[in-house]
């Protein structure tokens, strides 16, 4: 990493340590929001990233012949098209079925 990148990451780590970061559902009728900064508060909605990632990996499993670009594009389209009710349904389904395990080491 460059010195500028290291400096910026150091600044952001200091900012992270200040706290006032909340995990919660973010709802908007016009935007898909992964996060929001208002004043000193930062709000993170874990659902969009988790749902898009889940859709992405499910597409890989269901459509093994599709390339990475197509899978990424389709997962994004599906995620953005979901309304709040659908997101909630998928989020609850994910939480119900997921299993926690030790980290998986990925070999490049």
């Amino acid at each position: 990493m460059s010195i500028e990148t290291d400096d910026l990451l150091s600044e952001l780590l200091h900012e992270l340590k200040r706290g006032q970061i909340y995990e919660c559902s973010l709802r908007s009728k016009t935007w898909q929001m992964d996060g929001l900064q208002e004043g000193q508060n930062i709000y993170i909605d874990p659902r969009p990233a988790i749902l898009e990632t889940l859709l992405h990996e499910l597409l890989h499993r269901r459509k093994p012949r599709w390339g990475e670009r197509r899978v990424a594009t389709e997962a994004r389209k599906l995620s953005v098209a979901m309304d709040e009710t659908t997101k909630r349904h998928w989020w609850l389904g994910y939480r119900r079925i997921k299993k926690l395990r030790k980290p998986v080491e990925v070999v490049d």
Side-chain angles (χ1 to χ4, degrees), residues 35-60:
L36 174 68
Q37 183 263 320
E38 283 188 332
Q40 295 301 309
N41 296 331
I42 294 176
Y43 304 95
I44 305 294
D45 188 341
R47 295 176 312 154
I50 288 172
L51 289 179
E52 187 173 335
T53 301
L54 176 62
L55 293 168
H56 182 105
E57 298 308 329
L58 290 171
L59 282 167
H60 273 305

Side-chain angles (χ1 to χ4, degrees), residues 2-107:
S2 69
I3 294 172
E4 294 84 20
T5 301
D6 288 344
D7 289 346
L8 183 54
L9 284 173
S10 179
E11 282 182 50
L12 294 178
L13 182 58
H14 176 73
E15 196 64 33
L16 175 66
K17 290 177 181 178
R18 289 182 55 205
Q20 292 182 274
I21 299 174
Y22 306 95
E23 183 177 291
C24 61
S25 175
L26 295 173
R27 296 190 170 113
S28 170
K29 292 185 179 183
T30 52
W31 302 98
Q32 177 175 329
M33 300 184 69
D34 301 341
L36 174 68
Q37 183 263 320
E38 283 188 332
Q40 295 301 309
N41 296 331
I42 294 176
Y43 304 95
I44 305 294
D45 188 341
R47 295 176 312 154
I50 288 172
L51 289 179
E52 187 173 335
T53 301
L54 176 62
L55 293 168
H56 182 105
E57 298 308 329
L58 290 171
L59 282 167
H60 273 305
R61 192 163 73 181
R62 188 69 177 182
K63 306 285 187 180
R65 294 178 189 253
W66 284 10
E68 186 65 27
R69 182 176 291 164
R70 182 165 181 195
V71 167
T73 300
E74 293 299 322
R76 182 70 181 155
K77 282 182 191 176
L78 291 168
S79 178
V80 168
M82 287 183 176
D83 62 14
E84 282 300 317
T85 302
T86 305
K87 284 181 188 177
R88 180 168 170 72
H89 174 77
W90 273 82
W91 174 250
L92 292 174
Y94 165 77
R95 289 190 50 167
R96 193 170 40 256
I97 202 165
K98 75 176 180 175
K99 295 179 177 114
L100 298 178
R101 59 171 294 167
K102 294 179 182 175
V104 175
E105 293 293 326
V106 178
V107 179

